[in-house]
Amino acid sequence: MSDAQTRPLGAQISHMLKDRGVEVIFGIPGVHNQEMYRGIEEAGLTHVLARHEQGAGFMADGYARATGKPGMAYVITGPGLCNIMTPMGQAYSDSVPVLVISSCLDETAARKGQLHQMKDQRAAAETVCDWSFEARTADAAYQLIDRALVEFDTSRARSKHIQVPIAVLGSDAAAAPEKGTLDHTPQAAQFGQMDRIEALLNAAERPVFVLGGGAGPNAAIPGILRKAGALVVTTYAGRGAVDAADEHCLGACLARPGSAQVFAQADLVLAIGTELAEVDLWRPELGHDCPMVRVDIDASVLAETRAGDVAVHARAQMFFDDLSRRLEAWPQDKPFLWDTDTVAAQVASFRGQVQAERPGLVEVCDALRAAVPADTMIYSDMTQIAYVAQEVWDMDRPGHWHHPTGFGTLGYATPAAIGGAIGRPGLPTMAIIGDYGFHYTMQELGVAVELGLPLPIILWDNGKLGEIEDSMTRAQIAPNAVIAHNPDFCKLAEAFGALSAAPQSLESLRGALDKAFKADRPTLIYLTPKITG
């Protein structure tokens, strides 16, 4: 057996990750990546055995969102990597630090018909992540791992992939170099830019802040809004960055067509930590005809600025801290020229539109919101109840609602919530998923049972692909292939060893949730449109 300084590379990688602060690995072992498992226990890492590589990837994603640490996954060559590519794509689009390490075949050009063989595994992975490289030596593996971890800390976090040939994983290697010290100061805005932004704010009568997922938390935000006399709108991911009850807040209404009319009245827009992507707006343009200040850590986002705009390459926290110091020197708050009664009426109007579009779901969301404990972290899926919740569920803190926004994957919520619960032991975590999405990753319920996670899983069963049916109807297409046979979900959950509940009223829903958060295992809470008030 090798001595303490020389081990098979697969074991050394686990020791290196532990030294770099990694605590949890999600994955599934196989013959092709078993060398990666040689050192897991010795290194002191916790391994969570997923039931499918897609589940492992979503768990890593959920863990990363909950903790701010990188989510790590080990998978095998070929199908294992292909199965985790969907979570990799989701993490890429939603700026989540996920690192997937896989094995790969030693030779693919001269040898055919091998187990798990692909034409170009690395290239396939690169289509859904930031980068994908093959490490053919121990030194290359160590350098790539450190590169990924440093990039997670210093630039926009996005999924990455490293593959190591099977023979290299099994070869003896010296230990990874000791961890260096990263003296990284997040990007701060240029003084000249800040002078100009302060002047623009001083001159503006109707400024609007748009806060995305990269904006919060920052305690300076409310004070900035008052000093600047600004209205604030959030993206779905930005909810909680400011109190929704604040008279300056219009809520997460970007997707409402009427919000374009609000922006048309603005004389300055400041978009902080948001791409203003299609999935934020659901229209080609924001609707403004005034200068815009864009603040983002991703330079590609800043490339979209127009003539007269100000692009600031900085982290939102640095920007807010600097802006707050500058505005504190102002002798008084600027008047809020956005009429508060009009703002309140607009918020009520948007809520009414949501109620009219999807009757009954707003009331269910209100009941759920009233029943969850403070500090609950929520993971939702591609389902109508989540679409409604994103518009009407006001969060009391940022970074506590996670949705597969960009890539839009079904089956995300259950395994991601498992990863989140692992990352926040003792704190409340909840999943919200639809009946169809639950089918995609239902097997991961076994992981939550195995780990004894007190995880409520809200399963909304409307018996169909409701959003697709509605879209087909609007397009004057006869709804086709939108109804599938469902099992008895409660019995299915119990077969896994989970608890289940099927409250028939919103009042009984509160009791079911209270029990679920206190249970010693996950609880599937089954809801249908027949639930009464």
Side-chain angles (χ1 to χ4, degrees):
M1 185 65 189
S2 303
D3 62 33
Q5 295 302 312
T6 303
R7 303 182 181 91
L9 175 60
Q12 296 286 29
I13 287 173
S14 290
H15 281 271
M16 177 186 184
L17 292 175
K18 179 68 175 180
D19 179 62
R20 281 9 178 208
V22 173
E23 297 175 348
V24 182
I25 304 288
F26 300 90
I28 301 176
V31 172
H32 277 188
N33 73 342
Q34 65 186 14
E35 284 296 337
M36 294 161 62
Y37 283 75
R38 185 185 295 276
I40 285 181
E41 291 186 6
E42 184 184 63
L45 293 169
T46 296
H47 182 272
V48 176
L49 176 63
R51 302 310 191 251
H52 188 282
E53 287 90 357
Q54 187 177 82
F58 286 144
M59 288 177 203
D61 175 299
Y63 177 89
R65 298 195 200 209
T67 65
K69 302 175 182 179
M72 306 293 305
Y74 283 176
V75 297
I76 63 163
T77 315
L81 182 66
C82 287
N83 286 339
I84 206 170
M85 282 173 62
T86 295
M88 289 166 66
Q90 189 62 63
Y92 177 87
S93 65
D94 283 355
S95 305
V96 183
V98 170
L99 176 59
V100 174
I101 302 180
S102 76
S103 56
C104 66
L105 296 174
D106 303 314
E107 171 59 52
T108 58
R111 297 177 61 189
K112 302 299 180 184
Q114 301 175 80
L115 179 65
H116 302 330
Q117 186 164 10
M118 293 177 65
K119 291 174 66 177
D120 194 336
Q121 174 179 290
R122 186 212 59 78
E126 193 169 48
T127 63
V128 291
C129 66
D130 188 22
W131 50 253
S132 172
F133 291 116
E134 181 173 332
R136 298 176 183 174
T137 66
D139 286 344
Y142 300 152
Q143 290 176 23
L144 286 170
I145 290 170
D146 273 338
R147 173 180 169 179
L149 297 179
V150 168
E151 288 180 5
F152 287 151
D153 279 340
T154 59
S155 58
R156 183 176 182 178
R158 287 184 140 161
S159 56
K160 307 172 194 296
H161 167 245
I162 300 168
Q163 65 180 31
V164 187
I166 296 168
V168 176
L169 284 170
S171 299
D172 281 353
E178 291 186 9
K179 181 181 179 181
T181 301
L182 176 64
D183 183 10
H184 169 61
T185 301
Q187 293 99 323
Q190 299 283 332
F191 282 110
Q193 291 174 309
M194 295 306 298
D195 288 343
R196 184 179 176 193
I197 292 166
E198 184 180 358
L200 286 169
L201 271 174
N202 194 28
E205 295 183 344
R206 290 177 177 269
V208 181
F209 280 68
V210 183
L211 305 183
N218 193 296
I221 293 174
I224 290 173
L225 297 175
R226 278 166 176 72
K227 277 289 186 180
L231 185 68
V232 62
V233 176
T234 72
T235 66
Y236 296 147
R239 284 177 301 152
V242 64
D243 186 352
D246 192 307
E247 63 182 5
H248 290 246
C249 186
L250 199 58
C253 64
L254 282 177
R256 291 284 118 197
S259 70
Q261 299 169 17
V262 174
F263 286 100
Q265 301 172 53
D267 56 4
L268 178 66
V269 174
L270 296 93
I272 320 294
T274 172
E275 288 182 294
L276 295 178
E278 181 185 61
V279 292
D280 294 318
L281 303 178
W282 295 111
R283 59 178 181 270
E285 301 289 341
L286 186 63
H288 68 294
D289 185 21
C290 63
M292 176 185 281
V293 175
R294 296 292 297 267
V295 181
D296 209 282
I297 195 174
D298 187 346
S300 68
V301 171
L302 304 178
E304 300 171 4
T305 53
R306 306 179 298 190
D309 290 350
V310 182
V312 181
H313 188 218
R315 289 190 183 274
Q317 306 309 311
M318 297 290 289
F319 173 79
F320 282 131
D321 290 346
D322 193 351
L323 185 60
S324 178
R325 286 191 294 268
R326 289 168 173 265
L327 299 192
E328 283 175 3
W330 288 11
Q332 59 187 14
D333 295 354
K334 290 186 65 177
F336 185 62
L337 298 182
W338 296 92
D339 181 71
T340 54
D341 290 339
T342 301
V343 171
Q346 188 67 78
V347 170
S349 174
F350 288 153
R351 179 181 171 90
Q353 291 170 29
V354 178
Q355 286 178 305
E357 291 167 1
R358 297 188 173 104
L361 281 174
V362 170
E363 291 76 11
V364 176
C365 290
D366 288 344
L368 286 169
R369 180 173 181 264
V372 299
D375 197 32
T376 298
M377 188 164 282
I378 300 169
Y379 294 82
S380 60
D381 214 79
M382 302 296 286
T383 176
Q384 286 185 323
I385 189 172
Y387 306 151
V388 168
Q390 288 188 112
E391 296 199 67
V392 304
W393 191 313
D394 298 328
M395 300 298 292
D396 62 357
R397 64 201 74 196
H400 275 59
W401 189 296
H402 305 293
H403 186 77
T405 302
F407 212 38
T409 57
L410 278 165
Y412 169 81
T414 301
I418 291 170
I422 292 169
R424 302 171 75 240
L427 296 174
T429 304
M430 184 172 78
I432 298 176
I433 195 165
D435 56 305
Y436 207 82
F438 188 71
H439 279 275
Y440 276 55
T441 52
M442 68 170 71
Q443 67 275 2
E444 306 305 339
L445 189 59
V447 180
V449 171
E450 193 170 83
L451 298 179
L453 300 177
L455 176 67
I457 300 172
I458 307 298
L459 193 154
W460 177 256
D461 184 4
N462 60 6
K464 61 180 72 173
L465 287 163
E467 188 70 11
I468 309 307
E469 182 183 61
D470 291 349
S471 179
M472 286 181 165
T473 300
R474 288 192 298 270
Q476 298 184 348
I477 299 170
N480 192 340
V482 295
I483 297 177
H485 174 72
N486 279 335
D488 184 322
F489 286 111
C490 289
K491 289 183 178 178
L492 179 65
E494 291 166 6
F496 274 104
L499 303 173
S500 72
Q504 301 300 305
S505 69
L506 298 180
E507 182 179 354
S508 59
L509 173 58
R510 177 186 290 273
L513 263 175
D514 184 61
K515 288 179 63 177
F517 280 114
K518 297 174 182 176
D520 61 354
R521 66 192 74 180
T523 303
L524 186 140
I525 299 178
Y526 179 76
L527 304 179
T528 75
K530 295 180 180 179
I531 191 168
T532 65

